[in-house]
Amino acid sequence: MPSSAYLDPARSSDLSVSSTPDDLSSPQRKLLEAALRVDQAGEVAANYIYEGQLAILRRDPATAALIQESLRYSHPTFWVSQHDLQDMWDQERKHLAVMNKLQIQHQVRPTILWEVAKVAGFGLGAVTALMGKEAAMACTEAVETVIGEHYDDQLKDLQESTHPSIVLLRDVIREFRDDELEHLDTAVEHNSQRAPAHALLSSVVGMGCKVAIELCKRI
């Protein structure tokens, strides 16, 4: 997996994970900074969505199993335990670990909405879980639909540079996009579309995600 480059200490000196391009135009640099800022914030929110859902659904083993398994793992073991990470929250935690490293590598200021992302993510997860496990899965379906499209847009924006770090970044984005689309499929398999007012819930959550993306790009 491309992201393993950021989680394997043996590769810490590779140019692709330790440098940032110095030949980007101003518009290209702004696109890079916006991409990493919003992606990092998105992974923060995603982790807190699952935490909020778990706080409500932990009493339902069949549902909580989708997200609870990750509690057995700690951050430092991600690079050797990828083959063991089998649920959605595991992957989101890995995504956040990688995005944190990318933010430092490319010297990108995090969004000032970092704390807002935590609160909003936890609240969204908890509220949809209170509506029932189908609504919790509908939340995941809506979020991942938007994120999949967002990552596709980023791949188009970042296609010009041939710097090793940007080549790797594109591969990481593809990997994470595919992970998110797997989460979408998992949500559908677990009856997300049977949630009460599914269309309305999906529209509200999806629109909220789009607004958050645009805000985090800028601030």
Side-chain angles (χ1 to χ4, degrees):
M1 292 292 185
S3 63
S4 64
Y6 286 97
L7 303 171
D8 183 351
R11 299 188 60 182
S12 61
S13 61
D14 288 3
L15 281 178
S16 59
V17 301
S18 63
S19 64
T20 189
D22 58 8
D23 59 349
L24 296 179
S25 65
S26 179
Q28 288 175 325
R29 182 67 194 181
K30 288 180 179 178
L31 285 172
L32 173 62
E33 291 181 355
L36 294 180
R37 185 176 298 118
V38 71
D39 289 352
Q40 184 185 39
E43 297 302 344
V44 169
N47 276 269
Y48 275 85
I49 287 173
Y50 287 119
E51 185 172 339
Q53 290 179 344
L54 180 58
I56 303 300
L57 297 173
R58 66 173 69 248
R59 291 170 294 181
D60 182 351
T63 303
L66 293 171
I67 50 181
Q68 198 169 21
E69 185 70 12
S70 65
L71 296 177
R72 294 188 297 146
Y73 300 99
S74 61
H75 176 90
T77 65
F78 278 135
W79 73 276
V80 293
S81 303
Q82 281 187 311
H83 63 285
D84 295 321
L85 307 182
Q86 298 177 4
D87 58 67
M88 295 186 289
W89 196 9
D90 290 330
Q91 287 185 327
E92 297 297 356
R93 292 177 69 177
K94 183 190 75 173
H95 290 185
L96 179 57
V98 172
M99 285 300 170
N100 287 343
K101 291 178 180 292
L102 279 160
Q103 176 255 325
I104 295 171
Q105 174 188 356
H106 292 286
Q107 304 167 25
V108 175
R109 173 186 59 79
T111 177
I112 64 174
L113 299 177
W114 180 281
E115 295 300 324
V116 175
K118 293 180 180 179
V119 174
F122 187 92
L124 179 59
V127 168
T128 53
L130 283 169
M131 295 170 63
K133 59 185 179 182
E134 290 83 5
M137 293 297 101
C139 172
T140 296
E141 178 192 4
V143 169
E144 304 298 23
T145 297
V146 173
I147 297 306
E149 296 171 353
H150 170 66
Y151 277 143
D152 281 337
D153 291 340
Q154 286 189 345
L155 289 172
K156 296 175 185 176
D157 290 340
L158 298 172
Q159 64 184 350
E160 294 184 13
S161 177
T162 59
H163 189 276
S165 67
I166 304 301
V167 173
L168 177 58
L169 175 58
R170 289 197 296 265
D171 289 340
V172 168
I173 289 174
R174 289 189 190 95
E175 176 192 340
F176 287 5
R177 177 201 59 193
D178 292 346
D179 287 344
E180 307 298 2
L181 294 179
E182 286 181 6
H183 298 176
L184 190 162
D185 291 341
T186 298
V188 172
E189 290 169 4
H190 286 81
N191 302 319
S192 64
Q193 297 181 356
R194 295 183 186 178
H198 173 266
L200 177 61
L201 178 61
S202 296
S203 295
V204 171
V205 173
M207 182 57 66
C209 289
K210 291 177 182 179
V211 170
I213 286 171
E214 292 305 317
L215 287 173
C216 289
K217 283 181 181 178
R218 292 164 171 76
I219 59 176

